[in-house]
């Protein structure tokens, strides 16, 4: 290292393809990444992501070159879109808490997406919770189903926050949960992630979109993941909406360990590698038949199990 070279430590705030905004003690520096990092892990779609702690070398035009990516505490991963079996897309790194955001209506709650997201959080040891937005749109006919979903996840042990970005109901509770931590918001397009963040931090002025009346699906308004600083302290990652959450790095016999309600029964199964699907002497199935385990969650588990066994070949269809 020559005396003329200046190095800074920082954190990735935003990735826009080949450029990264790196927050340092002396300001945000637009930076590129060394080519060698693109070759080191061929399983991942990108060598560095928002939340990564990095070292940059300053260049003459006041941009930076990322020369080192520091070890991650954790990372939130999903299977990369398309047919590239085994490829991982990392949404963010060094996370304190992850929130899966759903909406009561427009679009309706997708428990399959929620369960897949929670499984990946369990697999990478990231504390997680559920935010149900747009409760101002809840009709009397919706109440029983929505409250039942809330109870299922709360009983498992996940924090559940019903909120309304439109009316402000419980937005202060969510803001308090985000304080002084690095949090992630993830969910499908149209559930109101960016609108919620604007309600929590009006100065962000994030782009928002409307949900199609015909398809009941949202339009992508967040194109790239961004690590957004909060005035109350902490950061939150706003991620692009995704419709599928493909699993990675999970063996079929491991999947049950990532369902908290299964854990009390795992060691009571007859076979140590029981997949809780077809094997005799399965304590998880016994708990299901005794109505201790929620049947919808179990059905979600079986769908995931079959996807894992098939190598997630069906993701993206």
């Amino acid at each position: 290292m020559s005396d003329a070279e200046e190095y800074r430590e920082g954190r990735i705030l935003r990735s826009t393809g080949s450029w990264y905004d790196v927050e340092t003690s002396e300001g945000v520096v637009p930076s590129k990444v060394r080519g060698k990092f693109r070759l080191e892990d061929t399983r991942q779609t990108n060598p560095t992501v928002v939340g990564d702690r990095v070292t940059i070398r300053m260049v003459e035009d006041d941009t930076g070159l990322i020369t080192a990516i520091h070890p991650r505490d954790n990372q939130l991963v999903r299977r990369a879109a398309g047919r590239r079996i085994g490829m991982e897309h990392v949404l963010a790194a060094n996370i304190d808490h992850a929130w899966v955001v759903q909406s009561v209506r427009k679009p309706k709650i997708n428990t399959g997406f929620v369960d897949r997201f929670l499984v990946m959080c369990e697999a990478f040891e990231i504390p997680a919770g559920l935010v149900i937005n747009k409760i101002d749109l809840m009709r009397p006919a919706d109440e029983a189903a929505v409250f039942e979903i809330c109870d299922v996840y709360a009983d498992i042990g996940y924090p559940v926050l019903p909120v309304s970005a439109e009316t402000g109901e419980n937005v202060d509770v969510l803001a308090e949960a985000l304080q002084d931590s690095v949090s992630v918001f993830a969910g499908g397009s149209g559930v109101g992630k960016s609108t919620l963040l604007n309600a929590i931090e009006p100065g962000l002025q994030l782009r928002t979109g409307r949900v199609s009346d015909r398809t009941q699906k949202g339009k992508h308004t967040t194109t790239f993941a961004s690590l957004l600083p909060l005035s109350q302290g902490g950061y939150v990652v706003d991620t692009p909406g995704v419709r599928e959450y493909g699993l990675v790095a999970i063996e079929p016999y491991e999947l049950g360990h990532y369902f908290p309600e299964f854990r009390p029964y795992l060691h009571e199964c007859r076979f140590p590698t029981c997949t809780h699907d077809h094997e005799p002497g399965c304590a998880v199935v016994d708990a299901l038949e005794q109505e201790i385990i929620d049947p919808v969650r179990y059905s979600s588990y079986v769908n995931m199990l079959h996807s894992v066994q098939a190598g997630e070949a069906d993701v993206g269809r």
Side-chain angles (χ1 to χ4, degrees):
M1 183 187 304
S2 71
D3 293 338
E5 292 179 335
E6 178 187 354
Y7 287 80
R8 298 180 187 176
E9 305 294 307
R11 185 201 305 254
I12 302 287
L13 291 183
R14 182 175 169 84
S15 165
T16 55
S18 60
W19 284 95
Y20 300 85
D21 289 340
V22 180
E23 181 187 47
T24 74
S25 60
E26 299 179 50
V28 176
V29 180
S31 302
K32 285 195 170 185
V33 66
R34 266 188 174 172
K36 72 169 188 175
F37 294 124
R38 298 187 178 277
L39 304 175
E40 287 180 351
D41 193 341
T42 56
R43 296 171 304 164
Q44 296 188 350
T45 58
N46 218 353
T48 186
V49 298
V50 296
D52 266 331
R53 295 183 288 264
V54 298
T55 299
I56 62 172
R57 176 168 59 82
M58 297 302 297
V59 184
E60 290 180 359
D61 61 358
D62 291 328
T63 63
L65 179 66
I66 297 172
T67 60
I69 303 168
H70 300 185
R72 294 170 178 167
D73 297 333
N74 56 36
Q75 58 185 9
L76 184 59
V77 179
R78 70 179 179 93
R79 182 180 176 270
R83 300 290 180 176
R84 295 174 293 176
I85 302 299
M87 286 292 289
E88 302 174 359
H89 179 68
V90 183
L91 296 177
N94 303 313
I95 304 157
D96 296 316
H97 205 102
W99 296 93
V100 55
V101 182
Q102 296 288 289
S103 53
V104 170
R105 297 177 58 227
K106 296 185 177 182
K108 66 181 181 179
I109 299 171
N110 181 343
T111 56
F113 182 98
V114 172
D115 292 336
R116 284 173 169 263
F117 180 85
L118 293 177
V119 160
M120 293 312 300
C121 288
E122 293 284 345
F124 288 93
E125 300 182 349
I126 300 170
L130 171 62
V131 175
I132 297 183
N133 190 23
K134 304 186 186 181
I135 58 174
D136 54 290
L137 298 182
M138 186 160 56
R139 303 167 299 188
D142 302 323
E143 289 183 359
V146 172
F147 291 151
E148 182 177 357
I149 289 171
C150 290
D151 288 344
V152 165
Y153 291 101
D155 289 346
I156 296 168
Y158 292 110
V160 180
L161 293 177
V163 302
S164 170
E166 185 69 25
T167 68
E169 185 172 352
N170 286 335
V171 168
D172 58 336
V173 179
L174 179 57
E176 185 176 351
L178 302 179
Q179 188 172 350
D180 297 327
S181 63
V182 178
S183 304
V184 170
F185 273 20
S189 299
V191 298
K193 300 185 301 296
S194 296
T195 305
L196 265 177
L197 290 173
N198 283 337
I200 292 168
E201 189 79 27
L204 293 175
Q205 297 183 335
L206 300 175
R207 290 179 58 223
T208 59
R210 63 184 295 274
V211 174
S212 166
D213 290 329
R214 182 176 63 84
T215 66
Q216 295 296 295
K217 293 178 180 178
K219 298 178 180 179
H220 295 283
T221 54
T222 301
T223 308
F224 299 99
S226 298
L227 186 63
L228 307 170
L230 301 175
S231 58
Q232 63 191 19
Y235 298 83
V236 64
V237 180
D238 184 24
T239 63
V242 292
R243 291 178 182 163
E244 296 281 355
Y245 205 97
L247 306 179
V248 295
I250 294 178
E251 296 294 333
Y253 70 88
E254 296 175 327
L255 181 62
H257 292 267
Y258 304 131
F259 278 69
E261 66 270 45
F262 288 15
R263 289 175 190 152
Y265 311 102
L266 296 178
H267 297 296
E268 298 178 17
C269 293
R270 182 183 302 177
F271 303 104
T273 57
C274 183
T275 62
H276 323 296
D277 180 25
H278 63 280
E279 298 91 342
C282 175
V284 170
V285 172
D286 288 345
L288 172 71
E289 293 173 349
Q290 295 172 38
E291 300 183 354
I292 299 172
I293 289 175
D294 178 70
V296 177
R297 278 275 290 177
Y298 178 78
S299 177
S300 186
Y301 165 81
V302 171
N303 288 337
M304 274 186 257
L305 176 67
H306 294 167
S307 292
V308 170
Q309 290 170 330
E312 285 282 26
D314 58 333
V315 170
R317 289 183 180 173

